[in-house]
Amino acid sequence: MKKRLFAIALSLILVISLAACSGNTPKDNENGGENSGSTGEPTYGGELIVGVTTDLDASLDPHVSSSSAGTREVLFNIFEGLVKPDAEGNLIPAVAESYSVNDTADEYTFVLREGIKFHNGNEVTTRDVVYSLSRAAGLTTGEPLVSDVAGIAAVEADDTTRSIKVTLSAPDTEFLAHVTTAIIPEDIDPATEAVGTGPFKLTGRTVQDNIVFEKFEDYWGEPAYLDKVTLKVIDNTETLVMSLKSGAVNMATHLISSQVNELTDMNILEGSSNAVQALYLNNDFEPFKDIRVRQALNYAIDQQSILDIAFDGHGSLLGSSMFPAFKKYFMPELNDLYPMDQEKAKELLLEAGQSDLKFSITVPSNMQQHVDTAQVIVEQLKAVGVTATINQVEWATWLEETYRGRKFESTIVSFDAHGVAASDLLARFQSDNGKNMINFKSEAYDAKYKEATSTTDDAAQTAAFKECERILAEEAANVYIQDVASFVALSKEFAGFQFYPLYVCDFATIYKTA
């Protein structure tokens, strides 16, 4: 059977261009701060203290769907899959040194890297890989992170190769993007032990206070520069900025322009969040069951004004659930589907019998970018006779009641992609998907999504995914706003930070300068 090898890539790897992002661009400081990626010579050793606004999930089990993007972001440093994304969005070898796939894209064979070790010192075996993939696929847990897996087994190998064959129940050309899922030891409890193969190992944690990573000396790849990284949980954004200014914290990510404007003695880098910020609408909330009401809100809200007022003009406008870094799928033309038209908004609300519409916007209080967005939206909606109130809640409350419980009318957050596949952003809007927190139901969407995931033709799949995006926009599932500009503040004695086209923070490339 003809094989397509790892180096060839073809349509099976989604090569993501960062041209649509700002990349590692230094923001001009009042004191002329330098680019943190180019100052001084790299040195090995030292500790980096990073301020984070939310604690990691209680469980660091990498096969349990994470409720916090921040958890996935930092676990990137501990766990690796058979392949993993690099800073350009390419899938590169990790635990597997190579792979091949059959012509029908329903059988994948992986050759494992020799001598790779877990953080506990044990070598990775085929048993560990079969266990990890089976568990992530739901063959042992019933909660699949990877769907359509029919079987996973070790292949009889010679003395120099070790192979794993994964058989799918249906063709899936995006399957590689899902085997970034973590490979863990078979003989540990992942709910209580975080043991992976990454460049850092977890050595300490105090809930709601700090998380400590240390360099893994036996890492198979390029070693980390830093000896230690400590994440300091600071849930108050003002306190976080003060900690950066005082030097108590060396770094913070996902800052907004108003925060970094105060940090004149630090290097500031600007990139993209690589996430879809929107006013997410609960389609089961009675007024929002009417498409005319949802469309009216889209006409009433001016995206560019939100960027100008709350974000100093930074950010990338969105018209559906896809951000610019996924260049292959991004449709900028959807940004213009609902030009601001207050009279049109009033007309639609009147037709729907909702001329005095009132609803609440639930926002996590520790995420200033979403609070600021909500405040601008509230003012814009007043112009069309809509009364919106802001309900700020703690992150844990948002997760439990809004996300899991779906007890909300609307909310402002950003959804990121877990990997480098279009399905990572679009799967949640299927009618029966467990993550469909907005309760969106569309037969047209379900049919087109099924079409996208059942074809092995790359062009047809891309077209079908784009049609899914168009349906989300035309049916006004949500009010799409932006991919929020993401600023990173880094003390000047450190350099080497890299933006990725997905939600990860790679500590291994950061170093102290000589």
Side-chain angles (χ1 to χ4, degrees):
M1 183 175 290
K2 184 178 178 181
K3 302 289 184 179
R4 289 167 287 178
L5 300 177
F6 185 90
I8 299 176
L10 296 176
S11 63
L12 293 173
I13 297 180
L14 172 61
V15 180
I16 302 173
S17 170
L18 289 179
C21 306
S22 298
N24 296 338
T25 305
K27 183 179 185 293
D28 291 334
N29 290 330
E30 293 178 4
N31 62 351
E34 297 174 291
N35 185 342
S36 71
S38 60
T39 61
E41 292 296 321
T43 62
Y44 284 92
E47 177 183 2
L48 178 74
I49 301 176
V50 183
V52 295
T53 56
T54 57
D55 196 4
L56 303 191
D57 288 343
S59 171
L60 300 184
D61 184 340
H63 299 156
V64 173
S65 182
S66 173
S67 57
S68 168
T71 299
R72 297 192 304 275
E73 180 180 39
V74 298
L75 292 189
F76 176 82
N77 297 275
I78 300 177
F79 297 107
E80 296 175 311
L82 293 171
V83 298
K84 67 179 183 179
D86 66 10
E88 298 300 320
N90 303 303
L91 291 173
I92 60 174
V95 175
E97 65 181 13
S98 64
Y99 77 87
S100 61
V101 55
N102 67 351
D103 289 331
T104 52
D106 59 3
E107 185 178 281
Y108 289 72
T109 303
F110 300 89
V111 179
L112 306 187
R113 192 179 298 277
E114 292 285 348
I116 188 170
K117 290 184 178 181
F118 287 116
H119 296 155
N120 60 10
N122 296 334
E123 285 198 12
V124 178
T125 68
T126 54
R127 289 177 59 89
D128 296 316
V129 176
V130 171
Y131 164 74
S132 299
L133 293 182
S134 298
R135 188 171 186 268
L139 301 184
T140 58
T141 65
E143 299 177 359
L145 291 181
V146 182
S147 60
D148 297 327
V149 174
I152 302 169
V155 178
E156 185 176 353
D158 58 30
D159 292 337
T160 60
T161 61
R162 298 185 300 167
S163 299
I164 299 293
K165 181 178 290 185
V166 181
T167 304
L168 307 181
S169 58
D172 186 357
T173 58
E174 291 196 315
F175 179 71
L176 286 179
H178 299 300
V179 292
T180 57
T181 189
I183 302 302
I184 62 175
E186 182 184 26
D187 58 354
I188 69 162
D189 179 1
T192 59
E193 297 180 78
V195 179
T197 62
F200 286 94
K201 59 183 179 181
L202 180 69
T203 58
R205 181 182 188 185
T206 301
V207 175
Q208 291 299 328
D209 184 47
N210 65 70
I211 305 97
V212 181
F213 302 138
E214 292 184 7
K215 179 178 180 177
F216 180 40
E217 298 292 347
D218 289 329
Y219 183 57
W220 62 270
E222 289 293 323
Y225 289 102
L226 298 167
D227 289 334
K228 185 178 182 181
V229 176
T230 298
L231 305 184
K232 185 69 177 176
V233 181
I234 305 173
D235 59 8
N236 183 287
T237 54
E238 292 183 2
T239 302
L240 174 60
V241 172
M242 291 175 59
S243 298
L244 289 164
K245 293 170 72 172
S246 70
V249 168
N250 309 124
M251 174 180 167
T253 61
H254 308 301
L255 299 174
I256 58 177
S257 57
S258 61
Q259 295 169 325
V260 299
N261 287 339
E262 300 182 45
L263 303 174
T264 56
D265 292 325
M266 302 190 77
N267 283 320
I268 305 299
L269 299 178
E270 180 179 356
S272 296
S273 296
N274 297 314
V276 178
Q277 189 202 44
L279 175 66
Y280 288 97
L281 307 175
N282 187 343
N283 285 219
D284 272 354
F285 175 54
E286 190 60 39
F288 296 158
K289 288 181 179 181
D290 192 323
I291 188 174
R292 293 171 296 184
V293 176
R294 304 196 302 268
Q295 290 175 333
L297 296 184
N298 276 271
Y299 281 117
I301 292 173
D302 183 4
Q303 302 162 294
Q304 188 60 53
S305 291
I306 294 173
L307 268 62
D308 293 340
I309 296 170
F311 300 93
D312 293 335
H314 296 276
S316 301
L317 299 181
L318 303 179
S320 191
S321 283
M322 187 64 62
F323 48 75
F326 276 24
K327 188 175 181 181
K328 178 178 180 180
Y329 302 105
F330 184 63
M331 302 175 69
E333 63 270 26
L334 295 180
N335 298 357
D336 302 321
L337 188 60
Y338 297 100
M340 187 177 184
D341 188 336
Q342 294 177 344
E343 292 308 312
K344 179 69 171 177
K346 291 178 182 178
E347 178 184 326
L348 286 169
L349 289 169
L350 185 62
E351 288 179 8
Q354 296 291 342
S355 56
D356 60 347
L357 176 64
K358 297 179 176 63
F359 68 93
S360 63
I361 305 173
T362 302
V363 187
S365 59
N366 64 321
M367 297 184 179
Q368 194 62 44
Q369 68 271 34
H370 302 320
V371 175
D372 291 348
T373 299
Q375 291 171 342
V376 178
I377 286 176
V378 165
E379 293 304 312
Q380 290 184 346
L381 291 177
K382 288 180 180 178
V384 297
V386 173
T387 302
T389 56
I390 300 173
N391 175 31
Q392 294 192 45
V393 298
E394 293 183 354
W395 176 243
T397 301
W398 187 91
L399 285 175
E400 187 60 31
E401 297 184 2
T402 304
Y403 183 71
R404 298 192 186 101
R406 306 186 186 187
K407 298 175 182 177
F408 73 104
E409 295 172 0
S410 73
T411 186
I412 298 177
V413 289
S414 293
F415 282 120
D416 68 298
H418 294 196
V420 292
S423 57
D424 288 320
L425 287 167
L426 300 175
R428 69 169 61 248
F429 299 108
Q430 297 171 90
S431 299
D432 60 353
N433 191 286
K435 296 181 181 179
N436 184 7
M437 63 169 287
I438 68 165
N439 299 303
F440 178 68
K441 297 177 179 62
S442 168
E443 292 182 2
Y445 186 89
D446 293 343
K448 191 56 65 173
Y449 186 87
K450 183 177 180 180
E451 179 182 325
T453 55
S454 61
T455 180
T456 58
D457 181 87
D458 182 67
Q461 183 180 72
T462 301
F465 276 135
K466 284 186 172 182
E467 189 60 27
C468 286
E469 297 168 48
R470 186 179 300 279
I471 292 169
L472 287 173
E474 291 179 348
E475 296 194 18
N478 306 291
V479 181
Y480 293 101
I481 303 169
Q482 64 169 319
D483 179 3
V484 180
S486 178
F487 294 94
V488 174
L490 189 64
S491 298
K492 290 187 176 179
E493 65 268 30
F494 293 92
F497 177 85
Q498 294 183 346
F499 284 96
Y500 275 63
L502 67 164
Y503 213 91
V504 302
C505 186
D506 188 354
F507 297 128
T509 64
I510 300 174
Y511 54 83
K512 293 199 74 171
T513 55

